[in-house]
Amino acid sequence: MAHGGGPRQVKLDRESELRIEVGYDAPLKLRLLSGTAEIFGTELPPDFWLTFPPRLKFAVFTLNGATIEMEGSTETEYTADETPNISYVNVHAVLEERRHRAKPLPPDDPNSQGPRVIVVGPTDSGKSTLSKMLLSWAAKKGWKPTFVDLDIGQGAITIPGCIAATPIEMPIDPVEGIPLDIPLVYFYGHTTPSNNVDLYKVLVKELAQVVERQLSGNAESRASGMVINTMGWIEGQGYELLLHAIDTFNANVVLVLGQAPMTVRIFLLNSQEKLWSMIRNVLKNKPGVDVVKLQKSGGVVSRNAKFRQKSRSHRIREYFYGLANDLSPHSNIANFSDFSVFRIGGGPQAPRSALPIGAEPAADPTRLAPVNINRDLLHTVLAVSFAKEPDQIISRKTITYLAPSAGELPSKYLIAGTVTWLET
Ligand code: ATP
């Protein structure tokens, strides 16, 4: 399964894939020698060495057969001839038809909106991977679908703790990931929505409205539609948030990912079946919404809490330093008085005395609370607010902070959450 690192060739039969987890200490080089193959929807260029960073988990899939050459060690490396990829390609074909139908229609026709796909399912069911495949296949055909990432746990577009959207104009680079040229990002500040469910909903709504505005002025993007990636939290409040996202983004295709193929079927209602039937029941009165069950790939790697924490930390490091250490963030010293730091949410909106008798003060999920700058803020990831309103100055001490670039920050108002990062 693991490989020590010497040069080697792997011949892949049609409709099979080579599943790889790069070794922990060094990158892996890989190239396509013959045939055609793709990584999560993006075709490999022939005879061109690609370098994959340590720990990356991915698969090289071929529809018609290919030969791959590799150099470098791997933790895992095996060929699988049973994959759900053909069913994913079929989904893509249906979406493609809908895009073609939407394109010629005038903007005031509701059908001028291409497919709005939302991918749901438990953790480690391959949601991000399927989202990438659908986006890359669409981009390959010349569409410009919008990728919406509502998963604050890992952060496929920017860093964990954010929700974001960005147009995908080219198949996604299997090494670099989602392009970061023009993302629209909202900082939630926590890696689980339960910290402030209402704020999460407010931000999802805000993101949806801005995306909607952008799409309304662009027929091509509108016909291309969206692919929305969600969190793996599908029980209780997590399920409510999925319904909220479906409703807010007016999703019309819900893809429910679930169980891996099994030789022995389990007769208990599994989590995928349950989620699929619950969503289908809720949406049965909404015409034109398809709720589709899809098989999870056996190649999706399960990640425990410790691994997730590590990959969050890698993701934040990558944000500041770049994938190949090619960015140079700046360490700066500033006076405490140069910044005002806030947390969002918490305190009551109005005092009880100001409310009608019997009414309970409701917590305002977007209420700002000033934060004292002290040791508690060490290693906290802060977002720079676009707010222009002046606010109170806190004290006259200094802090050292890491910023993506040199020079002044665009604003002195910073937002803290619970996302932390310790540079190692
Ligand atoms: P989350 O629980 O964070 O929402 P998810 O359901 O989005 O996870 P993915 O991120 O798509 O799951 O997949 C989990 C990991 O498995 C990723 O590192 C991904 O690259 C890897 N992976 C997915 N499919 C395959 C495959 N066919 N072969 C090898 N690795 C794969």
Side-chain angles (χ1 to χ4, degrees):
M1 292 276 270
H3 195 284
R8 57 214 181 266
Q9 291 186 7
V10 180
K11 194 173 168 316
L12 289 173
D13 292 335
R14 62 191 299 270
E15 291 179 26
S16 70
E17 71 180 16
L18 173 63
R19 294 175 180 160
I20 293 168
E21 180 174 357
V22 183
Y24 291 167
D25 303 317
L28 172 80
K29 279 174 56 183
L30 181 150
R31 69 172 164 170
L32 173 68
L33 280 183
S34 66
T36 53
E38 57 175 52
I39 295 178
F40 301 151
T42 301
E43 246 185 85
L44 290 183
D47 222 12
F48 182 83
W49 283 107
L50 293 167
T51 306
F52 296 86
R55 292 170 187 271
L56 195 76
K57 305 171 201 314
F58 66 98
V60 182
F61 173 73
T62 177
L63 206 52
N64 299 311
T67 306
I68 305 295
E69 186 174 16
M70 286 187 285
E71 225 181 300
S73 67
T74 51
E75 271 302 297
T76 315
E77 167 180 333
Y78 68 98
T79 306
D81 50 17
E82 202 179 305
T83 83
N85 290 358
I86 297 296
S87 63
Y88 299 171
V89 170
N90 290 340
V91 169
H92 161 71
V94 173
L95 302 178
E96 199 61 8
E97 254 175 53
R98 294 198 182 183
R99 293 185 180 108
H100 282 293
R101 254 185 279 145
K103 201 174 171 192
L105 300 173
D108 51 344
D109 186 323
N111 294 325
S112 69
Q113 171 58 59
R116 293 184 169 200
V117 184
I118 185 162
V119 185
V120 306
T123 44
D124 296 324
S125 53
K127 297 178 295 298
S128 320
T129 306
L130 175 60
S131 303
K132 283 185 203 162
M133 287 176 168
L134 296 174
L135 290 161
S136 289
W137 287 328
K140 187 180 165 192
K141 295 277 179 196
W143 300 102
K144 291 184 177 150
T146 303
F147 177 40
V148 177
D149 192 14
L150 302 182
D151 185 2
I152 45 180
Q154 296 295 320
I157 298 182
T158 60
I159 61 164
C162 298
I163 58 169
T166 190
I168 301 295
E169 305 189 343
M170 303 229 299
I172 297 163
D173 187 305
V175 180
E176 303 273 335
I178 310 280
L180 275 180
D181 314 337
I182 32 175
L184 176 66
V185 183
Y186 286 87
F187 182 70
Y188 168 70
H190 315 279
T191 52
T192 109
S194 52
N195 284 44
N196 188 346
V197 170
D198 291 328
L199 172 63
Y200 181 81
K201 283 187 180 170
V202 168
L203 295 181
V204 167
K205 215 167 158 191
E206 178 75 23
L207 180 69
Q209 278 166 0
V210 178
V211 169
E212 202 76 59
R213 270 204 300 278
Q214 287 178 349
L215 293 187
S216 69
N218 186 328
E220 195 185 2
S221 303
R222 206 168 51 247
S224 301
M226 315 177 183
V227 177
I228 305 162
N229 182 34
T230 61
M231 294 175 286
W233 190 25
I234 54 169
E235 302 283 339
Q237 226 164 22
Y239 170 70
E240 297 298 326
L241 289 177
L242 285 183
L243 293 184
H244 176 259
I246 293 170
D247 188 47
T248 311
F249 280 92
N250 278 318
N252 50 22
V253 180
V254 185
L255 300 179
V256 186
L257 272 174
Q259 308 299 107
M262 278 183 287
T263 32
V264 185
R265 296 294 322 163
I266 295 176
F267 289 101
L268 287 171
L269 206 58
N270 66 42
S271 60
Q272 177 194 25
E273 202 80 35
K274 188 172 151 200
L275 184 62
W276 172 76
S277 66
M278 281 164 70
I279 295 179
R280 212 174 55 133
N281 271 338
V282 171
L283 299 179
K284 67 174 182 274
N285 296 329
K286 255 189 149 183
V289 183
D290 295 318
V291 187
V292 181
K293 255 185 300 183
L294 283 175
Q295 204 175 62
K296 162 185 166 172
S297 164
V300 179
V301 186
S302 295
R303 297 160 297 175
N304 59 22
K306 200 167 154 214
F307 186 93
R308 280 170 188 274
Q309 176 52 42
K310 263 205 163 140
S311 61
R312 277 202 274 276
S313 179
H314 273 120
R315 196 79 187 114
I316 299 176
R317 190 182 193 288
E318 202 183 303
Y319 175 81
F320 286 104
Y321 287 94
L323 194 66
N325 264 333
D326 46 345
L327 303 178
S328 335
H330 281 253
S331 183
N332 302 294
I333 296 179
N335 293 317
F336 277 20
S337 58
D338 291 340
F339 297 121
S340 300
V341 183
F342 298 90
R343 279 189 203 283
I344 306 178
Q349 196 168 25
R352 206 175 284 267
S353 57
L355 295 171
I357 294 166
E360 282 298 310
D364 176 0
T366 60
R367 183 173 175 272
L368 282 183
V371 174
N372 281 331
I373 300 182
N374 57 32
R375 290 191 65 81
D376 296 346
L377 276 185
L378 262 183
H379 310 303
T380 300
V381 174
L382 299 159
V384 180
S385 164
F386 282 94
K388 295 246 162 31
E389 290 292 300
D391 215 312
Q392 74 264 53
I393 289 166
I394 294 174
S395 81
R396 251 185 248 124
K397 300 175 188 167
T398 68
I399 49 170
T400 305
Y401 67 94
L402 186 70
S405 58
E408 257 185 42
L409 290 179
S411 158
K412 58 185 263 192
Y413 304 115
L414 306 178
I415 310 289
T418 52
V419 178
T420 55
W421 175 56
L422 179 57
E423 204 175 335
T424 48

Short mmCIF file of all heavy atoms in Angstrom, two decimals, residues 17 19 40 57-59 122-129 151 154 230 232 297 299-301 303 308, ligand 1:
data_model
loop_
_atom_site.label_atom_id
_atom_site.label_comp_id
_atom_site.label_asym_id
_atom_site.label_seq_id
_atom_site.Cartn_x
_atom_site.Cartn_y
_atom_site.Cartn_z
N GLU A 17 -9.42 4.01 -10.87
CA GLU A 17 -8.66 5.15 -10.36
C GLU A 17 -7.52 4.70 -9.46
O GLU A 17 -7.58 3.65 -8.82
CB GLU A 17 -9.56 6.16 -9.66
CG GLU A 17 -10.15 5.76 -8.33
CD GLU A 17 -11.04 6.85 -7.73
OE1 GLU A 17 -11.46 7.80 -8.43
OE2 GLU A 17 -11.34 6.73 -6.53
N ARG A 19 -5.63 5.66 -6.18
CA ARG A 19 -5.86 6.47 -4.97
C ARG A 19 -4.55 6.66 -4.23
O ARG A 19 -3.83 5.68 -3.98
CB ARG A 19 -6.90 5.80 -4.08
CG ARG A 19 -8.26 5.77 -4.75
CD ARG A 19 -9.28 5.01 -3.95
NE ARG A 19 -10.58 5.04 -4.64
CZ ARG A 19 -11.55 4.19 -4.42
NH1 ARG A 19 -11.43 3.25 -3.51
NH2 ARG A 19 -12.69 4.28 -5.09
N PHE A 40 -10.08 14.66 -9.83
CA PHE A 40 -11.31 15.32 -9.38
C PHE A 40 -11.88 16.28 -10.43
O PHE A 40 -12.16 17.45 -10.16
CB PHE A 40 -11.08 16.05 -8.05
CG PHE A 40 -10.63 15.13 -6.94
CD1 PHE A 40 -9.83 15.60 -5.89
CD2 PHE A 40 -11.00 13.79 -6.91
CE1 PHE A 40 -9.42 14.75 -4.86
CE2 PHE A 40 -10.60 12.94 -5.89
CZ PHE A 40 -9.80 13.42 -4.86
N LYS A 57 -4.38 14.00 -0.29
CA LYS A 57 -5.08 12.76 -0.64
C LYS A 57 -5.86 13.03 -1.91
O LYS A 57 -6.63 13.99 -1.96
CB LYS A 57 -6.05 12.37 0.47
CG LYS A 57 -5.43 12.24 1.84
CD LYS A 57 -6.55 12.08 2.84
CE LYS A 57 -6.21 12.41 4.24
NZ LYS A 57 -5.04 11.97 4.85
N PHE A 58 -5.66 12.21 -2.92
CA PHE A 58 -6.36 12.44 -4.17
C PHE A 58 -6.41 11.16 -4.99
O PHE A 58 -5.85 10.14 -4.60
CB PHE A 58 -5.69 13.58 -4.97
CG PHE A 58 -4.31 13.27 -5.45
CD1 PHE A 58 -4.08 12.82 -6.75
CD2 PHE A 58 -3.22 13.40 -4.61
CE1 PHE A 58 -2.80 12.53 -7.21
CE2 PHE A 58 -1.93 13.10 -5.05
CZ PHE A 58 -1.72 12.67 -6.34
N ALA A 59 -7.13 11.23 -6.11
CA ALA A 59 -7.22 10.05 -6.98
C ALA A 59 -7.05 10.48 -8.42
O ALA A 59 -7.48 11.56 -8.82
CB ALA A 59 -8.57 9.38 -6.79
N PRO A 122 -23.09 13.33 5.37
CA PRO A 122 -22.30 13.32 6.60
C PRO A 122 -20.84 13.71 6.37
O PRO A 122 -20.40 13.82 5.23
CB PRO A 122 -22.42 11.87 7.09
CG PRO A 122 -22.92 11.08 5.94
CD PRO A 122 -23.59 12.02 4.99
N THR A 123 -20.10 13.89 7.45
CA THR A 123 -18.67 14.21 7.31
C THR A 123 -17.98 13.07 6.56
O THR A 123 -18.39 11.92 6.64
CB THR A 123 -17.98 14.34 8.70
OG1 THR A 123 -18.42 13.26 9.50
CG2 THR A 123 -18.27 15.63 9.38
N ASP A 124 -16.97 13.44 5.84
CA ASP A 124 -16.19 12.47 5.07
C ASP A 124 -17.04 11.62 4.14
O ASP A 124 -16.91 10.40 4.08
CB ASP A 124 -15.39 11.54 6.01
CG ASP A 124 -14.36 12.32 6.80
OD1 ASP A 124 -13.79 13.27 6.25
OD2 ASP A 124 -14.13 11.98 7.97
N SER A 125 -17.95 12.27 3.42
CA SER A 125 -18.70 11.52 2.41
C SER A 125 -18.24 11.96 1.01
O SER A 125 -18.73 11.46 0.02
CB SER A 125 -20.21 11.72 2.59
OG SER A 125 -20.53 13.09 2.63
N GLY A 126 -17.32 12.92 0.97
CA GLY A 126 -16.77 13.35 -0.32
C GLY A 126 -17.50 14.54 -0.92
O GLY A 126 -17.48 14.72 -2.13
N LYS A 127 -18.10 15.38 -0.07
CA LYS A 127 -18.87 16.53 -0.58
C LYS A 127 -17.99 17.53 -1.32
O LYS A 127 -18.32 17.95 -2.44
CB LYS A 127 -19.59 17.25 0.58
CG LYS A 127 -20.61 16.40 1.29
CD LYS A 127 -21.25 17.12 2.44
CE LYS A 127 -20.28 17.46 3.55
NZ LYS A 127 -19.68 16.28 4.20
N SER A 128 -16.87 17.90 -0.70
CA SER A 128 -16.00 18.89 -1.35
C SER A 128 -15.48 18.33 -2.66
O SER A 128 -15.39 19.05 -3.67
CB SER A 128 -14.79 19.24 -0.49
OG SER A 128 -15.15 19.34 0.84
N THR A 129 -15.15 17.04 -2.66
CA THR A 129 -14.59 16.42 -3.87
C THR A 129 -15.62 16.40 -4.99
O THR A 129 -15.31 16.76 -6.13
CB THR A 129 -14.11 14.99 -3.53
OG1 THR A 129 -13.21 15.07 -2.43
CG2 THR A 129 -13.42 14.34 -4.70
N ASP A 151 -19.03 25.41 4.25
CA ASP A 151 -18.39 24.55 5.25
C ASP A 151 -17.33 25.35 5.99
O ASP A 151 -16.24 25.57 5.47
CB ASP A 151 -17.78 23.34 4.55
CG ASP A 151 -17.20 22.35 5.54
OD1 ASP A 151 -17.30 22.60 6.75
OD2 ASP A 151 -16.64 21.32 5.10
N GLN A 154 -13.46 23.43 7.22
CA GLN A 154 -12.18 23.24 6.53
C GLN A 154 -11.80 24.43 5.66
O GLN A 154 -10.63 24.77 5.56
CB GLN A 154 -12.22 21.97 5.67
CG GLN A 154 -12.38 20.69 6.50
CD GLN A 154 -11.19 20.40 7.41
OE1 GLN A 154 -10.05 20.59 7.02
NE2 GLN A 154 -11.44 19.97 8.63
N THR A 230 -21.59 21.96 1.61
CA THR A 230 -22.12 22.21 2.96
C THR A 230 -21.30 21.47 4.02
O THR A 230 -20.37 20.75 3.70
CB THR A 230 -23.58 21.74 3.05
OG1 THR A 230 -23.60 20.32 2.78
CG2 THR A 230 -24.46 22.46 2.05
N GLY A 232 -20.72 18.78 7.27
CA GLY A 232 -21.11 17.39 7.51
C GLY A 232 -22.07 17.23 8.68
O GLY A 232 -22.38 16.13 9.09
N SER A 297 -17.71 7.68 -2.62
CA SER A 297 -16.58 6.93 -3.17
C SER A 297 -15.86 6.20 -2.04
O SER A 297 -15.66 6.76 -0.96
CB SER A 297 -15.61 7.89 -3.85
OG SER A 297 -14.38 7.25 -4.05
N GLY A 299 -12.94 5.79 -1.93
CA GLY A 299 -11.62 6.40 -1.78
C GLY A 299 -11.62 7.56 -0.80
O GLY A 299 -10.55 8.02 -0.38
N VAL A 300 -12.79 8.06 -0.42
CA VAL A 300 -12.83 9.22 0.49
C VAL A 300 -12.20 8.80 1.81
O VAL A 300 -12.53 7.78 2.39
CB VAL A 300 -14.28 9.70 0.74
CG1 VAL A 300 -14.29 10.86 1.71
CG2 VAL A 300 -14.93 10.09 -0.56
N VAL A 301 -11.25 9.61 2.26
CA VAL A 301 -10.49 9.25 3.45
C VAL A 301 -11.19 9.83 4.68
O VAL A 301 -11.54 11.00 4.71
CB VAL A 301 -9.06 9.82 3.33
CG1 VAL A 301 -8.20 9.34 4.48
CG2 VAL A 301 -8.44 9.44 1.99
N ARG A 303 -11.34 11.35 8.31
CA ARG A 303 -10.37 12.14 9.05
C ARG A 303 -10.88 12.34 10.48
O ARG A 303 -12.01 12.79 10.65
CB ARG A 303 -10.16 13.49 8.35
CG ARG A 303 -9.58 13.30 6.95
CD ARG A 303 -9.82 14.49 6.07
NE ARG A 303 -11.22 14.73 5.82
CZ ARG A 303 -11.68 15.77 5.15
NH1 ARG A 303 -10.85 16.66 4.69
NH2 ARG A 303 -12.98 15.92 4.96
N ARG A 308 -8.35 16.77 11.47
CA ARG A 308 -9.06 17.97 11.00
C ARG A 308 -8.42 19.24 11.58
O ARG A 308 -8.27 20.23 10.89
CB ARG A 308 -10.53 17.90 11.41
CG ARG A 308 -11.32 17.02 10.51
CD ARG A 308 -12.71 16.77 11.04
NE ARG A 308 -13.32 15.77 10.21
CZ ARG A 308 -13.96 16.03 9.07
NH1 ARG A 308 -14.12 17.26 8.68
NH2 ARG A 308 -14.43 15.07 8.33
P1 ATP B 1 -16.12 17.16 5.34
O1 ATP B 1 -16.54 16.20 6.36
O2 ATP B 1 -14.93 17.96 5.76
O3 ATP B 1 -17.23 17.99 4.82
P2 ATP B 1 -16.17 15.93 2.73
O4 ATP B 1 -17.40 15.12 2.83
O5 ATP B 1 -16.24 17.21 1.98
O6 ATP B 1 -15.55 16.21 4.13
P3 ATP B 1 -13.89 15.43 1.06
O7 ATP B 1 -13.14 16.60 1.60
O8 ATP B 1 -14.44 15.54 -0.30
O9 ATP B 1 -15.02 14.99 2.09
O10 ATP B 1 -12.98 14.12 1.10
C1 ATP B 1 -12.21 13.76 2.23
C2 ATP B 1 -10.77 13.47 1.83
O11 ATP B 1 -10.75 12.33 0.97
C3 ATP B 1 -10.11 14.61 1.04
O12 ATP B 1 -8.79 14.72 1.48
C4 ATP B 1 -10.17 14.13 -0.41
O13 ATP B 1 -9.12 14.67 -1.19
C5 ATP B 1 -10.03 12.63 -0.22
N1 ATP B 1 -10.67 11.87 -1.33
C6 ATP B 1 -11.91 12.04 -1.81
N2 ATP B 1 -12.18 11.17 -2.79
C7 ATP B 1 -11.05 10.42 -2.94
C8 ATP B 1 -10.67 9.33 -3.79
N3 ATP B 1 -11.52 8.83 -4.67
N4 ATP B 1 -9.44 8.82 -3.64
C9 ATP B 1 -8.57 9.31 -2.72
N5 ATP B 1 -8.87 10.32 -1.89
C10 ATP B 1 -10.08 10.87 -1.99
#
